[in-house]
Amino acid sequence: MGNEISILGLYGLVVIVTIFIQATAAAAQVGAMVLLKPRDNLQLTGVAARLDRAQLNSIVALAMFAPAIMILNQMGMETPATLFCAQAFLIARVLYVPLYAFGIAGLRTLAWTVGILATAWLYLIGLGWV
């Protein structure tokens, strides 16, 4: 899969695709014209609502993952362990969105946990604590 920076770039694209899929699902549910107006009282349900929550969670995950990768890159601390963590994060996060969208709660939670632990491990490596 390449180096950690490449994985960060790939995850950025995953988030963009996730946002696009969520917007498409929302448009299918309420109509594109509704999405052009203020959405103060918009209530999505089902897959569209789960995709909305998944895309918001994906953005938060990106906001946490990116600094860890940038710190490691800036410090020249990319190692096989950091590559493994970045790969684990990417795989977990790619799986997270469809697992969430289709309501597969147990596996979704496992994917989320792998992603957050991989991110935390990257910070611990960057801090020199492991």
Side-chain angles (χ1 to χ4, degrees), residues 23 26-37 39:
Q29 185 174 101
V30 299
M33 295 307 293
V34 170
L35 298 180
L36 295 174
K37 299 174 184 173
R39 300 178 215 162

Side-chain angles (χ1 to χ4, degrees), residues 2-115:
N3 67 25
E4 292 85 336
I5 291 291
S6 295
I7 291 170
L8 175 57
L10 286 172
Y11 187 61
L13 290 174
V14 167
V15 172
I16 289 169
V17 169
T18 301
I19 292 168
F20 179 75
I21 291 168
Q22 184 280 326
T24 303
Q29 185 174 101
V30 299
M33 295 307 293
V34 170
L35 298 180
L36 295 174
K37 299 174 184 173
R39 300 178 215 162
D40 298 334
N41 297 313
L42 180 65
Q43 294 292 322
L44 298 173
T45 59
V47 173
R50 289 191 299 273
L51 280 167
D52 188 50
R53 292 187 298 273
Q55 65 98 8
L56 290 172
N57 187 276
S58 296
I59 293 167
V60 170
L62 178 61
M64 293 186 313
F65 181 67
I69 294 300
M70 299 305 288
I71 289 166
L72 292 167
N73 181 264
Q74 184 66 29
M75 296 176 72
M77 295 181 66
E78 293 155 324
T79 67
T82 61
L83 181 59
F84 175 78
C85 287
Q87 290 169 335
F89 170 87
L90 181 62
I91 292 166
R93 295 303 307 183
V94 166
L95 293 172
Y96 175 84
V97 173
L99 290 170
Y100 202 140
F102 295 115
I104 305 171
L107 291 177
R108 178 199 82 208
T109 302
L110 178 61
W112 180 89
T113 302
V114 169

